Amino acid sequence: MTALDKITMIRRNLEKYQATLPNVVLDAVYENEGKILDLVRDDQLTKQGIDGSGKSITPKYTAFTRSIKRDKGQVTSHVTLRDTGETQDTMLMEYGSDYFYPVATTEQVPGLLRKYGNRIFDLTQNSVTEAAKIMRPDIFKRSLKMIFN
């Protein structure tokens, strides 16, 4: 194979790669789904009590709820959406042809969305940045394979 043939092959592979880039990213999300969901569950909800827009989840817990959560040894300073852990434990990614977003699947979810807003499970911009860092090695490896194979 001549140098020109090799360059032509790489150019063609780049064109194919460009068309399949959304799939490369979605594959990396799928491979790292648990880590990405932890950004929402652990960092956003449990540690910070914020929704996907970065705003505090409101309304705050009532005095009664804070008392129950304190007895359970749970965070009371902000809304975490964690009581039994069922809602956060059922979180998964919903995938489309060129998008993904976190969802939870318990029967409590519709009520939580009504009460706290439809962004409670979304990734914040900071979490998107962290997710990109998590996925970068997978995307890089897949990209090199597609372009230079």
Side-chain angles (χ1 to χ4, degrees):
M1 178 179 275
T2 68
L4 183 58
D5 291 339
K6 198 165 206 150
I7 291 169
T8 301
M9 180 193 73
I10 291 171
R11 184 182 59 79
R12 285 186 187 132
N13 287 348
L14 276 169
E15 289 169 358
K16 288 181 200 172
Y17 170 74
Q18 204 170 14
T20 61
L21 184 57
N23 292 336
V24 171
V25 173
L26 289 175
D27 288 347
V29 171
Y30 182 77
E31 291 296 318
N32 294 283
E33 185 172 302
K35 292 176 187 174
I36 296 168
L37 289 171
D38 284 344
L39 294 171
V40 177
R41 289 186 287 239
D42 299 338
D43 296 341
Q44 291 177 207
L45 297 174
T46 301
K47 291 180 184 171
Q48 300 178 65
I50 58 174
D51 66 13
S53 65
K55 296 179 181 167
S56 291
I57 299 172
T58 57
K60 299 289 185 193
Y61 290 134
T62 64
F64 179 72
T65 301
R66 283 194 309 274
S67 172
I68 292 170
K69 291 182 84 55
R70 199 173 4 265
D71 289 346
K72 291 181 177 183
Q74 295 180 355
V75 173
T76 60
S77 59
H78 57 266
V79 175
T80 63
L81 304 180
R82 179 176 286 281
D83 180 24
T84 65
E86 181 184 8
T87 297
Q88 290 186 15
D89 291 346
T90 66
M91 288 182 72
L92 50 87
M93 286 294 183
E94 185 79 26
Y95 295 91
S97 61
D98 62 352
Y99 65 87
F100 65 93
Y101 56 89
V103 296
T105 60
T106 63
E107 63 186 34
Q108 294 87 358
V109 170
L112 292 171
L113 293 172
R114 275 192 303 278
K115 184 173 184 176
Y116 297 115
N118 62 358
R119 304 237 16 228
I120 56 177
F121 300 118
D122 291 354
L123 291 160
T124 62
Q125 189 56 53
N126 186 56
S127 291
V128 170
T129 301
E130 290 302 312
K133 289 177 187 175
I134 291 167
M135 295 184 300
R136 188 173 292 138
D138 286 339
I139 292 171
F140 185 71
K141 184 172 65 175
R142 291 168 199 264
S143 298
L144 287 178
K145 185 176 180 182
M146 290 178 75
I147 294 167
F148 294 106
N149 221 6

